[in-house]
Amino acid sequence: MEKELRVIISGGGTGGHIFPAVSIANAIRAKYPEAKILFVGAEGRMEMQRVPQAGYEIKGLPIQGFDRKNPLKNIKVLYKIWKSQRMAKTIIREFQPQVAVGVGGYASGPTLNKAAAMGIPCLIQEQNSYAGVTNKLLAKKAAKICVAYEGMERFFPQEKIIMTGNPVRQQLLDCKLTREEAIKTFGLDPAKKTILIVGGSLGARTVNESVLQHLEDIRKSGVQVVWQTGKYYYGEMLKHLNNHEEMPMLKPTDFIADMGAAYRAADLVISRAGASSISEFCLLGTPVILVPSPNVAEDHQTKNAMALVNKQAALYVKDAEAREKLIPLALETVNDAARLASLSENILKLALPNSADIIADEVVKLAHNA
């Protein structure tokens, strides 16, 4: 580019928004090392820590979501939205971006609204198969809308949509360990089938309780399990295990730092159905049982899961039925080589590689035309 590339990226709230945002920034930097990239997030949300850890500057807005249970509290929320709009305008005026990128989450609303009003082209990236409220509201103002699922013209103007997939954490794709080496990093036996259970960084109570209810089944199965309980539940889970006879085949941990090794070790994964996780499973060809969280807006995790289940690319257990059905299904599936091979083959067909690069190219095009 002739002039310096300046990009604002806004959004966050969960890892599912932050991982793609950082991946897009990294892809832009790889193409244009001198690019100036500024993130705008919501104060008190996880992006305020994760983005600086990834090496980028971030500014926080005081925005938060509406309180549906206590409507009177929304007077304060409305004030914070107004204040965030003013702060976003100041940030944009001072930074002078040529393009603004929104990845979903509270902060992307005021940031992209103001950017569009100031004549700056906007690109939004929708991770889920069911569009989020913020992105639906921003769609009219966006020049391009990058999506990961078919059928998104239900929510967005068809002519703006680009099928790119979701950017994933590069370190997962860069893992060079063999399955045997990966299993040994967890102190387990490469000769045995291995299940990986992940409920997100904070954990998932339903998934954890499903394990506790079937400890004896796991012990007798000959299968070994790497179990990320999440930091919030780790102490509680250890107390339960201490009251049970020793289980060397079960490896509980609060957090797995090297998810590349964990995925490589696993013959089967049990996971929530967040969009970023699903994109990772598709790229890695991971056989997976999805347990969608019921605690997300408009039940979008179930819609994400069914997009795979309908193509025989994943198995699915309802959260309400998980305590009874999840572990028995997992133990049965991990010993069914034909089913594992079929799940892996079908989920690989849904992979959309190079997502971050494709989105970065679209960002640069918009900046170039600004």
Side-chain angles (χ1 to χ4, degrees):
M1 289 183 66
E2 296 160 15
K3 53 186 176 180
E4 184 179 62
L5 177 60
R6 303 180 72 84
V7 182
I8 272 184
I9 301 178
S10 184
T14 66
H17 292 313
I18 297 164
F19 295 144
V22 170
S23 295
I24 293 166
N26 289 343
I28 293 169
R29 274 271 170 87
K31 296 169 188 291
Y32 295 92
E34 302 305 313
K36 297 289 186 290
I37 300 173
L38 176 67
F39 281 74
V40 180
E43 290 174 358
R45 306 289 287 188
M46 65 189 291
E47 59 264 27
M48 300 308 293
Q49 283 78 44
R50 294 290 179 87
V51 168
Q53 287 169 3
Y56 295 97
E57 181 186 357
I58 186 167
K59 293 188 180 291
L61 303 179
I63 192 159
Q64 63 185 79
F66 285 104
D67 191 327
R68 291 181 173 84
K69 293 179 182 175
N70 301 293
L72 285 176
K73 290 187 178 178
N74 289 328
I75 296 169
K76 192 175 181 181
V77 173
L78 286 168
Y79 170 72
K80 289 187 173 182
I81 291 172
W82 174 80
K83 188 177 179 184
S84 295
Q85 296 268 12
R86 292 194 58 163
M87 289 175 66
K89 186 175 182 179
T90 300
I91 290 167
I92 292 165
R93 190 183 289 134
E94 289 176 354
F95 185 70
Q96 296 191 323
Q98 294 135 318
V99 60
V101 179
V103 295
Y106 298 136
S108 62
T111 307
L112 268 71
N113 265 322
K114 285 299 174 188
M118 295 163 77
I120 295 160
C122 298
L123 176 148
I124 59 178
Q125 199 254 330
E126 174 56 61
Q127 294 97 26
N128 292 292
S129 60
Y130 194 91
V133 174
T134 303
N135 278 347
K136 281 192 279 191
L137 292 171
L138 290 171
K140 290 177 185 174
K141 300 174 181 179
K144 296 288 182 183
I145 303 169
C146 297
V147 303
Y149 290 89
E150 295 168 356
M152 297 304 285
E153 61 276 2
R154 290 176 296 158
F155 309 107
F156 303 131
Q158 173 80 55
E159 68 277 6
K160 296 182 180 182
I161 293 174
I162 306 170
M163 186 76 161
T164 60
N166 286 325
V168 304
R169 294 172 281 183
Q170 191 60 40
Q171 64 265 38
L172 300 181
L173 305 178
D174 292 342
C175 179
K176 299 293 190 288
L177 296 176
T178 64
R179 176 184 176 275
E180 184 173 333
E181 289 167 344
I183 288 175
K184 285 180 178 177
T185 67
F186 292 97
L188 294 171
D189 182 356
K192 292 182 177 179
K193 293 289 186 179
T194 304
I195 297 172
L196 169 66
I197 301 174
V198 285
S201 56
L202 296 177
R205 177 170 288 282
T206 305
V207 175
N208 288 336
E209 289 179 352
S210 302
V211 176
L212 293 180
Q213 290 200 17
H214 294 276
L215 289 175
E216 198 56 27
D217 293 332
I218 292 170
R219 193 176 69 79
K220 292 176 179 176
S221 68
V223 170
Q224 53 199 4
V225 178
V226 177
W227 177 22
Q228 181 183 281
T229 64
K231 293 178 181 178
Y232 186 75
Y233 298 107
Y234 185 60
E236 182 186 345
M237 296 302 112
L238 286 186
K239 281 182 187 174
H240 283 285
L241 289 177
N242 288 337
N243 294 326
H244 196 275
E245 72 177 272
E246 201 171 334
M247 296 188 63
M249 78 296 297
L250 182 63
K251 296 287 181 182
T253 178
D254 62 337
F255 179 73
I256 298 171
D258 189 351
M259 284 304 298
Y263 285 151
R264 190 60 52 88
D267 297 290
L268 176 70
V269 175
I270 293 170
S271 172
R272 289 304 202 188
S276 288
S277 296
I278 285 178
S279 295
E280 291 168 358
F281 301 143
C282 291
L283 283 165
L284 297 169
T286 306
V288 62
I289 301 175
L290 297 169
V291 188
S293 171
N295 307 313
V296 294
E298 295 163 323
D299 198 25
H300 68 244
Q301 285 205 3
T302 296
K303 297 175 177 78
N304 290 348
M306 295 313 297
L308 272 66
V309 172
N310 291 336
K311 295 185 177 179
Q312 290 79 50
L315 303 179
Y316 158 67
V317 175
K318 284 184 182 177
D319 187 86
E321 299 175 352
R323 291 170 183 84
E324 177 191 352
K325 297 181 177 179
L326 179 58
I327 297 303
L329 175 62
L331 294 175
E332 176 191 331
T333 303
V334 80
N335 285 306
D336 186 338
R339 194 174 203 186
L340 290 177
S342 174
L343 287 168
S344 181
E345 183 182 335
N346 290 338
I347 202 169
L348 272 171
K349 291 175 187 172
L350 304 180
L352 292 165
N354 308 317
S355 297
D357 278 335
I358 296 166
I359 296 169
D361 286 340
E362 293 299 327
V363 171
V364 171
K365 279 184 207 169
L366 288 177
H368 208 239
N369 294 330

